[in-house]
Amino acid sequence: MWTKLRDSMPLQLMLAAIMAWLFALTFSSTADVSQQSWYHLLMLGKTSYIGLLKMVVGVVVMLSLLEGITSIGSTVRLKKLGVSTLLFYSFTTLIAISLGLGTSLLLPAWQPLNEFAPVTDGVRLISEDAAGGTAIAAKLLNMALVNPVAALASGNLLAIVLFSFMLGLALLSALPAKHPLFEMLSGLNKGVNAMVRGIVRFAPLAVFSIVFEFTLFGGESLFGQLALFALLVFALTLIHGVVVLPTIAKVATGIRFTTLFKAISAPLAMAFATSSSSATLPLAMQSAEDKLGVSKSTSSMVLPLGAVMNMDGTALFEGVAAIFLAQLFGVDLTTTGLIMIFIMAMVSSVGAPGMPSGSMSGMQLVLLAAGIPLEAIAVLLIIERPLDTFRTAVNVEGDLIAALVIDKWQQRVSSPELASEGV
């Protein structure tokens, strides 16, 4: 039993979560736990773990992409892999938004609010000028076209991905296949991955701290006037994560549902606990290669791209939330408004920070495009945090399934090519 517990990260994470939940239930609602010294010591587990992952995630993305691109061997294969990745992510995001919007429009309308909820001081509302197509494009370019050193320092994954892709493509074009620089990149990547594996061993401690804090202070936020909306978002997210994505994997690769979820259970548990697709990336890459058998060249390119641009759960949430808030605030959505919500939910999910509540800036763009008052964001903030955990897990699941499907497709395509070349 001890050996099984020691070797099973999903089991460790589940046990840590259950223990934290039970421990938190022993305290009454009036107990001032946050003032206790042991509580601050416990929270150091969460702070240290998330901090360590933030420290290395930018380097992991850069080195993984560089090695993945340069190990592909030719710009023709790189183009095929890149196009396949973009098409797959666009396809699953399209399904997620359609599921959210379609279901929301079929259900009875929500009752309008009598008065608006106040926006907290910690939320910065964007200007209405930011809803135009040119402004959105400018925002994405401003995020992507920055100094790579500054991007690493700030954790700007969109900029890191773009720079790594450009540098990897340049190295692949300019240097011979056996150049020592490629071996150095491989060695650095192995070293960083070894460091990440050491950090991941502390994940159960971080999960214990996170679940304890959430149960103690945030559990009741699921109940109240927004409970039905939260239930709707949770149900739709669950359908996309348990039915839609696994079915795509089954049809494309033949993998059984039980085999799939057993292989990806650890990164899903980590995504659920941290609400951060970026923080889950190292563990996701490890699971894709060790559990799903995805080649390193595919996982090191598809998964970092997915952490930046594949946000199925986020896009679904934004679509459902836009319909919900429009009806709550008495905004009559025309066909044009629905189309704008559809488009903006897809666009704004790209480049959303892979950190807790990172989709709120994108949600404001969706609200502006549909003519919904920005103050409506305050309603979402009441329940946004617990819902964020579920959609982050679905985001990570979509990344892993994409890596599996694209890797199988690449193997099928490359086999005839190699045979025709006499390899």
Side-chain angles (χ1 to χ4, degrees):
M1 177 64 183
W2 170 251
T3 303
K4 185 177 180 180
L5 178 62
R6 183 189 61 191
D7 297 336
S8 175
M9 178 61 71
L11 189 60
Q12 294 175 24
L13 295 175
M14 182 178 67
L15 186 61
I18 294 174
M19 291 176 61
W21 177 68
L22 293 174
F23 185 43
L25 291 181
T26 62
F27 295 93
S28 66
S29 58
T30 57
D32 195 4
V33 178
S34 61
Q35 301 300 320
Q36 303 296 322
S37 58
W38 62 264
Y39 170 79
H40 294 289
L41 184 63
L42 181 63
M43 289 302 105
L44 284 178
K46 178 188 75 170
T47 304
S48 301
Y49 183 78
I50 299 298
L52 286 170
L53 287 177
K54 285 182 179 180
M55 181 176 68
V56 301
V57 69
V59 178
V60 169
V61 170
M62 176 175 283
L63 290 178
S64 297
L65 270 178
L66 285 175
E67 185 182 9
I69 291 170
T70 54
S71 65
I72 288 175
S74 71
T75 55
V76 175
R77 290 187 63 196
L78 176 62
K79 181 180 178 181
K80 291 181 178 178
L81 180 59
V83 171
S84 302
T85 303
L86 293 176
L87 289 176
F88 186 89
Y89 285 155
S90 299
F91 174 66
T92 57
T93 303
L94 188 69
I95 293 177
I97 300 174
S98 300
L99 176 64
L101 287 179
T103 305
S104 299
L105 293 174
L106 290 174
L107 293 175
W110 302 92
Q111 292 297 320
L113 289 176
N114 294 324
E115 58 181 16
F116 293 171
V119 181
T120 57
D121 294 336
V123 179
R124 185 177 62 185
L125 300 182
I126 61 179
S127 66
E128 295 186 6
D129 296 335
T134 304
I136 295 169
K139 178 185 176 183
L140 290 176
L141 287 174
N142 287 332
M143 289 176 59
L145 303 179
V146 299
N147 186 289
V149 177
L152 286 170
S154 62
N156 184 348
L157 290 188
L158 186 61
I160 294 171
V161 165
L162 180 60
F163 175 78
S164 302
F165 193 86
M166 293 171 61
L167 180 58
L169 187 60
L171 293 175
L172 189 62
S173 303
L175 301 178
K178 299 297 183 180
H179 196 277
L181 181 59
F182 297 153
E183 296 182 7
M184 185 182 73
L185 283 174
S186 178
L188 285 173
N189 211 16
K190 289 179 181 178
V192 171
N193 287 333
M195 181 170 60
V196 168
R197 284 194 292 270
I199 295 173
V200 167
R201 295 182 65 88
F202 293 97
L205 175 62
V207 168
F208 184 92
S209 304
I210 292 168
V211 173
F212 176 77
E213 181 184 32
F214 181 76
T215 304
L216 200 62
F217 300 113
E220 295 181 359
S221 62
L222 284 172
F223 305 98
Q225 64 174 344
L226 299 176
L228 290 177
F229 169 72
L231 183 61
L232 173 62
V233 174
F234 170 72
L236 293 176
T237 306
L238 194 65
I239 290 172
H240 189 73
V242 176
V243 179
V244 176
L245 290 176
T247 300
I248 293 174
K250 173 70 174 179
V251 172
T253 68
I255 190 172
R256 298 173 59 184
F257 286 13
T258 53
T259 304
L260 173 67
F261 282 108
K262 184 178 180 181
I264 65 176
S265 56
L268 291 191
M270 177 56 60
F272 183 86
T274 61
S275 299
S276 171
S277 54
S278 297
T280 312
L281 179 59
L283 183 57
M285 294 179 66
Q286 181 180 335
S287 297
E289 295 168 15
D290 297 343
K291 305 294 185 181
L292 292 175
V294 176
S295 65
K296 189 171 184 62
S297 61
T298 300
S299 68
S300 58
M301 180 174 176
V302 174
L303 291 176
L305 283 176
V308 174
M309 64 175 297
N310 184 43
M311 303 289 178
D312 290 358
T314 300
L316 187 151
F317 168 77
E318 290 178 351
V320 176
I323 301 294
F324 169 69
L325 293 177
Q327 295 173 353
L328 225 60
F329 283 75
V331 177
D332 186 18
L333 288 175
T334 62
T335 303
T336 303
L338 292 173
I339 293 175
M340 288 303 299
I341 290 175
F342 188 90
I343 295 174
M344 292 305 301
M346 284 199 69
V347 173
S348 63
S349 65
V350 177
M355 292 297 167
S357 302
S359 63
M360 280 298 97
S361 59
M363 187 68 238
Q364 292 184 50
L365 292 174
V366 176
L367 297 183
L368 284 173
I372 303 169
L374 279 181
E375 289 76 10
I377 204 78
V379 176
L380 293 183
L381 291 174
I382 302 173
I383 57 164
E384 194 274 337
R385 186 64 179 88
L387 291 178
D388 193 22
T389 61
F390 296 104
R391 66 173 181 263
T392 302
V394 171
N395 291 343
V396 172
E397 180 190 0
D399 297 345
L400 287 162
I401 289 177
L404 175 64
V405 171
I406 293 170
D407 189 61
K408 295 295 183 183
W409 183 82
Q410 288 288 315
Q411 291 176 11
R412 293 169 188 166
V413 171
S414 60
S415 296
E417 290 179 352
L418 294 175
S420 65
E421 293 173 3
V423 178

mmCIF file with all atom_site columns, all heavy atoms in Angstrom, residues 333-349:
data_model
loop_
_atom_site.group_PDB
_atom_site.id
_atom_site.type_symbol
_atom_site.label_atom_id
_atom_site.label_alt_id
_atom_site.label_comp_id
_atom_site.label_asym_id
_atom_site.label_entity_id
_atom_site.label_seq_id
_atom_site.pdbx_PDB_ins_code
_atom_site.Cartn_x
_atom_site.Cartn_y
_atom_site.Cartn_z
_atom_site.occupancy
_atom_site.B_iso_or_equiv
_atom_site.pdbx_formal_charge
_atom_site.auth_seq_id
_atom_site.auth_comp_id
_atom_site.auth_asym_id
_atom_site.auth_atom_id
_atom_site.pdbx_PDB_model_num
ATOM 1   N N   . LEU A 1 333 ? -30.202 40.817 -26.771 1.00 0.00 ? 333 LEU A N   1
ATOM 2   C CA  . LEU A 1 333 ? -29.158 40.372 -27.698 1.00 0.00 ? 333 LEU A CA  1
ATOM 3   C C   . LEU A 1 333 ? -29.756 40.087 -29.072 1.00 0.00 ? 333 LEU A C   1
ATOM 4   O O   . LEU A 1 333 ? -30.634 39.236 -29.221 1.00 0.00 ? 333 LEU A O   1
ATOM 5   C CB  . LEU A 1 333 ? -28.479 39.113 -27.159 1.00 0.00 ? 333 LEU A CB  1
ATOM 6   C CG  . LEU A 1 333 ? -27.561 39.292 -25.948 1.00 0.00 ? 333 LEU A CG  1
ATOM 7   C CD1 . LEU A 1 333 ? -27.059 37.940 -25.466 1.00 0.00 ? 333 LEU A CD1 1
ATOM 8   C CD2 . LEU A 1 333 ? -26.396 40.205 -26.283 1.00 0.00 ? 333 LEU A CD2 1
ATOM 9   N N   . THR A 1 334 ? -29.275 40.781 -30.065 1.00 0.00 ? 334 THR A N   1
ATOM 10  C CA  . THR A 1 334 ? -29.676 40.527 -31.448 1.00 0.00 ? 334 THR A CA  1
ATOM 11  C C   . THR A 1 334 ? -28.804 39.422 -32.034 1.00 0.00 ? 334 THR A C   1
ATOM 12  O O   . THR A 1 334 ? -27.882 38.910 -31.381 1.00 0.00 ? 334 THR A O   1
ATOM 13  C CB  . THR A 1 334 ? -29.526 41.799 -32.283 1.00 0.00 ? 334 THR A CB  1
ATOM 14  O OG1 . THR A 1 334 ? -28.137 42.184 -32.282 1.00 0.00 ? 334 THR A OG1 1
ATOM 15  C CG2 . THR A 1 334 ? -30.364 42.933 -31.702 1.00 0.00 ? 334 THR A CG2 1
ATOM 16  N N   . THR A 1 335 ? -29.092 39.064 -33.262 1.00 0.00 ? 335 THR A N   1
ATOM 17  C CA  . THR A 1 335 ? -28.264 38.066 -33.942 1.00 0.00 ? 335 THR A CA  1
ATOM 18  C C   . THR A 1 335 ? -26.824 38.537 -34.044 1.00 0.00 ? 335 THR A C   1
ATOM 19  O O   . THR A 1 335 ? -25.878 37.761 -33.852 1.00 0.00 ? 335 THR A O   1
ATOM 20  C CB  . THR A 1 335 ? -28.817 37.787 -35.355 1.00 0.00 ? 335 THR A CB  1
ATOM 21  O OG1 . THR A 1 335 ? -30.177 37.365 -35.252 1.00 0.00 ? 335 THR A OG1 1
ATOM 22  C CG2 . THR A 1 335 ? -28.000 36.710 -36.051 1.00 0.00 ? 335 THR A CG2 1
ATOM 23  N N   . THR A 1 336 ? -26.652 39.827 -34.311 1.00 0.00 ? 336 THR A N   1
ATOM 24  C CA  . THR A 1 336 ? -25.296 40.402 -34.383 1.00 0.00 ? 336 THR A CA  1
ATOM 25  C C   . THR A 1 336 ? -24.593 40.277 -33.043 1.00 0.00 ? 336 THR A C   1
ATOM 26  O O   . THR A 1 336 ? -23.396 39.954 -32.973 1.00 0.00 ? 336 THR A O   1
ATOM 27  C CB  . THR A 1 336 ? -25.365 41.878 -34.802 1.00 0.00 ? 336 THR A CB  1
ATOM 28  O OG1 . THR A 1 336 ? -26.043 41.989 -36.044 1.00 0.00 ? 336 THR A OG1 1
ATOM 29  C CG2 . THR A 1 336 ? -23.962 42.463 -34.919 1.00 0.00 ? 336 THR A CG2 1
ATOM 30  N N   . GLY A 1 337 ? -25.336 40.539 -31.958 1.00 0.00 ? 337 GLY A N   1
ATOM 31  C CA  . GLY A 1 337 ? -24.754 40.425 -30.625 1.00 0.00 ? 337 GLY A CA  1
ATOM 32  C C   . GLY A 1 337 ? -24.307 39.013 -30.322 1.00 0.00 ? 337 GLY A C   1
ATOM 33  O O   . GLY A 1 337 ? -23.230 38.800 -29.739 1.00 0.00 ? 337 GLY A O   1
ATOM 34  N N   . LEU A 1 338 ? -25.104 38.021 -30.705 1.00 0.00 ? 338 LEU A N   1
ATOM 35  C CA  . LEU A 1 338 ? -24.740 36.627 -30.480 1.00 0.00 ? 338 LEU A CA  1
ATOM 36  C C   . LEU A 1 338 ? -23.505 36.246 -31.293 1.00 0.00 ? 338 LEU A C   1
ATOM 37  O O   . LEU A 1 338 ? -22.629 35.524 -30.804 1.00 0.00 ? 338 LEU A O   1
ATOM 38  C CB  . LEU A 1 338 ? -25.912 35.716 -30.851 1.00 0.00 ? 338 LEU A CB  1
ATOM 39  C CG  . LEU A 1 338 ? -27.146 35.804 -29.942 1.00 0.00 ? 338 LEU A CG  1
ATOM 40  C CD1 . LEU A 1 338 ? -28.284 34.974 -30.520 1.00 0.00 ? 338 LEU A CD1 1
ATOM 41  C CD2 . LEU A 1 338 ? -26.812 35.336 -28.535 1.00 0.00 ? 338 LEU A CD2 1
ATOM 42  N N   . ILE A 1 339 ? -23.440 36.736 -32.534 1.00 0.00 ? 339 ILE A N   1
ATOM 43  C CA  . ILE A 1 339 ? -22.262 36.457 -33.364 1.00 0.00 ? 339 ILE A CA  1
ATOM 44  C C   . ILE A 1 339 ? -21.020 37.077 -32.746 1.00 0.00 ? 339 ILE A C   1
ATOM 45  O O   . ILE A 1 339 ? -19.941 36.463 -32.721 1.00 0.00 ? 339 ILE A O   1
ATOM 46  C CB  . ILE A 1 339 ? -22.489 36.979 -34.799 1.00 0.00 ? 339 ILE A CB  1
ATOM 47  C CG1 . ILE A 1 339 ? -23.600 36.184 -35.483 1.00 0.00 ? 339 ILE A CG1 1
ATOM 48  C CG2 . ILE A 1 339 ? -21.197 36.890 -35.619 1.00 0.00 ? 339 ILE A CG2 1
ATOM 49  C CD1 . ILE A 1 339 ? -23.985 36.708 -36.850 1.00 0.00 ? 339 ILE A CD1 1
ATOM 50  N N   . MET A 1 340 ? -21.161 38.301 -32.226 1.00 0.00 ? 340 MET A N   1
ATOM 51  C CA  . MET A 1 340 ? -20.023 38.967 -31.589 1.00 0.00 ? 340 MET A CA  1
ATOM 52  C C   . MET A 1 340 ? -19.559 38.213 -30.345 1.00 0.00 ? 340 MET A C   1
ATOM 53  O O   . MET A 1 340 ? -18.360 38.089 -30.084 1.00 0.00 ? 340 MET A O   1
ATOM 54  C CB  . MET A 1 340 ? -20.396 40.404 -31.223 1.00 0.00 ? 340 MET A CB  1
ATOM 55  C CG  . MET A 1 340 ? -20.529 41.343 -32.417 1.00 0.00 ? 340 MET A CG  1
ATOM 56  S SD  . MET A 1 340 ? -19.017 41.413 -33.417 1.00 0.00 ? 340 MET A SD  1
ATOM 57  C CE  . MET A 1 340 ? -17.843 42.044 -32.218 1.00 0.00 ? 340 MET A CE  1
ATOM 58  N N   . ILE A 1 341 ? -20.520 37.698 -29.560 1.00 0.00 ? 341 ILE A N   1
ATOM 59  C CA  . ILE A 1 341 ? -20.156 36.901 -28.388 1.00 0.00 ? 341 ILE A CA  1
ATOM 60  C C   . ILE A 1 341 ? -19.387 35.657 -28.827 1.00 0.00 ? 341 ILE A C   1
ATOM 61  O O   . ILE A 1 341 ? -18.362 35.296 -28.230 1.00 0.00 ? 341 ILE A O   1
ATOM 62  C CB  . ILE A 1 341 ? -21.421 36.504 -27.595 1.00 0.00 ? 341 ILE A CB  1
ATOM 63  C CG1 . ILE A 1 341 ? -22.030 37.732 -26.913 1.00 0.00 ? 341 ILE A CG1 1
ATOM 64  C CG2 . ILE A 1 341 ? -21.086 35.440 -26.547 1.00 0.00 ? 341 ILE A CG2 1
ATOM 65  C CD1 . ILE A 1 341 ? -23.345 37.447 -26.217 1.00 0.00 ? 341 ILE A CD1 1
ATOM 66  N N   . PHE A 1 342 ? -19.880 35.010 -29.878 1.00 0.00 ? 342 PHE A N   1
ATOM 67  C CA  . PHE A 1 342 ? -19.237 33.800 -30.396 1.00 0.00 ? 342 PHE A CA  1
ATOM 68  C C   . PHE A 1 342 ? -17.799 34.087 -30.822 1.00 0.00 ? 342 PHE A C   1
ATOM 69  O O   . PHE A 1 342 ? -16.862 33.377 -30.434 1.00 0.00 ? 342 PHE A O   1
ATOM 70  C CB  . PHE A 1 342 ? -20.050 33.263 -31.578 1.00 0.00 ? 342 PHE A CB  1
ATOM 71  C CG  . PHE A 1 342 ? -19.597 31.934 -32.084 1.00 0.00 ? 342 PHE A CG  1
ATOM 72  C CD1 . PHE A 1 342 ? -20.120 30.771 -31.559 1.00 0.00 ? 342 PHE A CD1 1
ATOM 73  C CD2 . PHE A 1 342 ? -18.627 31.840 -33.078 1.00 0.00 ? 342 PHE A CD2 1
ATOM 74  C CE1 . PHE A 1 342 ? -19.705 29.535 -32.032 1.00 0.00 ? 342 PHE A CE1 1
ATOM 75  C CE2 . PHE A 1 342 ? -18.206 30.617 -33.550 1.00 0.00 ? 342 PHE A CE2 1
ATOM 76  C CZ  . PHE A 1 342 ? -18.748 29.453 -33.022 1.00 0.00 ? 342 PHE A CZ  1
ATOM 77  N N   . ILE A 1 343 ? -17.628 35.134 -31.605 1.00 0.00 ? 343 ILE A N   1
ATOM 78  C CA  . ILE A 1 343 ? -16.292 35.465 -32.117 1.00 0.00 ? 343 ILE A CA  1
ATOM 79  C C   . ILE A 1 343 ? -15.369 35.912 -30.986 1.00 0.00 ? 343 ILE A C   1
ATOM 80  O O   . ILE A 1 343 ? -14.215 35.463 -30.886 1.00 0.00 ? 343 ILE A O   1
ATOM 81  C CB  . ILE A 1 343 ? -16.392 36.567 -33.189 1.00 0.00 ? 343 ILE A CB  1
ATOM 82  C CG1 . ILE A 1 343 ? -17.160 36.047 -34.418 1.00 0.00 ? 343 ILE A CG1 1
ATOM 83  C CG2 . ILE A 1 343 ? -15.004 37.055 -33.601 1.00 0.00 ? 343 ILE A CG2 1
ATOM 84  C CD1 . ILE A 1 343 ? -17.440 37.101 -35.459 1.00 0.00 ? 343 ILE A CD1 1
ATOM 85  N N   . MET A 1 344 ? -15.879 36.785 -30.115 1.00 0.00 ? 344 MET A N   1
ATOM 86  C CA  . MET A 1 344 ? -15.032 37.334 -29.056 1.00 0.00 ? 344 MET A CA  1
ATOM 87  C C   . MET A 1 344 ? -14.646 36.282 -28.031 1.00 0.00 ? 344 MET A C   1
ATOM 88  O O   . MET A 1 344 ? -13.545 36.336 -27.459 1.00 0.00 ? 344 MET A O   1
ATOM 89  C CB  . MET A 1 344 ? -15.745 38.501 -28.372 1.00 0.00 ? 344 MET A CB  1
ATOM 90  C CG  . MET A 1 344 ? -15.910 39.730 -29.248 1.00 0.00 ? 344 MET A CG  1
ATOM 91  S SD  . MET A 1 344 ? -14.344 40.315 -29.937 1.00 0.00 ? 344 MET A SD  1
ATOM 92  C CE  . MET A 1 344 ? -13.442 40.642 -28.433 1.00 0.00 ? 344 MET A CE  1
ATOM 93  N N   . ALA A 1 345 ? -15.524 35.321 -27.780 1.00 0.00 ? 345 ALA A N   1
ATOM 94  C CA  . ALA A 1 345 ? -15.179 34.252 -26.847 1.00 0.00 ? 345 ALA A CA  1
ATOM 95  C C   . ALA A 1 345 ? -14.022 33.424 -27.390 1.00 0.00 ? 345 ALA A C   1
ATOM 96  O O   . ALA A 1 345 ? -13.151 32.973 -26.630 1.00 0.00 ? 345 ALA A O   1
ATOM 97  C CB  . ALA A 1 345 ? -16.394 33.363 -26.581 1.00 0.00 ? 345 ALA A CB  1
ATOM 98  N N   . MET A 1 346 ? -13.987 33.224 -28.723 1.00 0.00 ? 346 MET A N   1
ATOM 99  C CA  . MET A 1 346 ? -12.878 32.488 -29.331 1.00 0.00 ? 346 MET A CA  1
ATOM 100 C C   . MET A 1 346 ? -11.594 33.309 -29.293 1.00 0.00 ? 346 MET A C   1
ATOM 101 O O   . MET A 1 346 ? -10.530 32.824 -28.901 1.00 0.00 ? 346 MET A O   1
ATOM 102 C CB  . MET A 1 346 ? -13.210 32.122 -30.778 1.00 0.00 ? 346 MET A CB  1
ATOM 103 C CG  . MET A 1 346 ? -14.174 30.961 -30.938 1.00 0.00 ? 346 MET A CG  1
ATOM 104 S SD  . MET A 1 346 ? -14.119 30.222 -32.590 1.00 0.00 ? 346 MET A SD  1
ATOM 105 C CE  . MET A 1 346 ? -12.510 29.449 -32.598 1.00 0.00 ? 346 MET A CE  1
ATOM 106 N N   . VAL A 1 347 ? -11.709 34.580 -29.697 1.00 0.00 ? 347 VAL A N   1
ATOM 107 C CA  . VAL A 1 347 ? -10.519 35.426 -29.805 1.00 0.00 ? 347 VAL A CA  1
ATOM 108 C C   . VAL A 1 347 ? -9.930  35.731 -28.436 1.00 0.00 ? 347 VAL A C   1
ATOM 109 O O   . VAL A 1 347 ? -8.711  35.649 -28.229 1.00 0.00 ? 347 VAL A O   1
ATOM 110 C CB  . VAL A 1 347 ? -10.857 36.734 -30.546 1.00 0.00 ? 347 VAL A CB  1
ATOM 111 C CG1 . VAL A 1 347 ? -9.675  37.695 -30.518 1.00 0.00 ? 347 VAL A CG1 1
ATOM 112 C CG2 . VAL A 1 347 ? -11.266 36.435 -31.983 1.00 0.00 ? 347 VAL A CG2 1
ATOM 113 N N   . SER A 1 348 ? -10.778 36.085 -27.471 1.00 0.00 ? 348 SER A N   1
ATOM 114 C CA  . SER A 1 348 ? -10.275 36.524 -26.170 1.00 0.00 ? 348 SER A CA  1
ATOM 115 C C   . SER A 1 348 ? -9.669  35.389 -25.363 1.00 0.00 ? 348 SER A C   1
ATOM 116 O O   . SER A 1 348 ? -8.882  35.631 -24.445 1.00 0.00 ? 348 SER A O   1
ATOM 117 C CB  . SER A 1 348 ? -11.397 37.186 -25.366 1.00 0.00 ? 348 SER A CB  1
ATOM 118 O OG  . SER A 1 348 ? -12.429 36.255 -25.090 1.00 0.00 ? 348 SER A OG  1
ATOM 119 N N   . SER A 1 349 ? -10.036 34.135 -25.679 1.00 0.00 ? 349 SER A N   1
ATOM 120 C CA  . SER A 1 349 ? -9.452  33.012 -24.953 1.00 0.00 ? 349 SER A CA  1
ATOM 121 C C   . SER A 1 349 ? -8.009  32.759 -25.370 1.00 0.00 ? 349 SER A C   1
ATOM 122 O O   . SER A 1 349 ? -7.229  32.163 -24.614 1.00 0.00 ? 349 SER A O   1
ATOM 123 C CB  . SER A 1 349 ? -10.291 31.747 -25.170 1.00 0.00 ? 349 SER A CB  1
ATOM 124 O OG  . SER A 1 349 ? -10.260 31.340 -26.516 1.00 0.00 ? 349 SER A OG  1
#
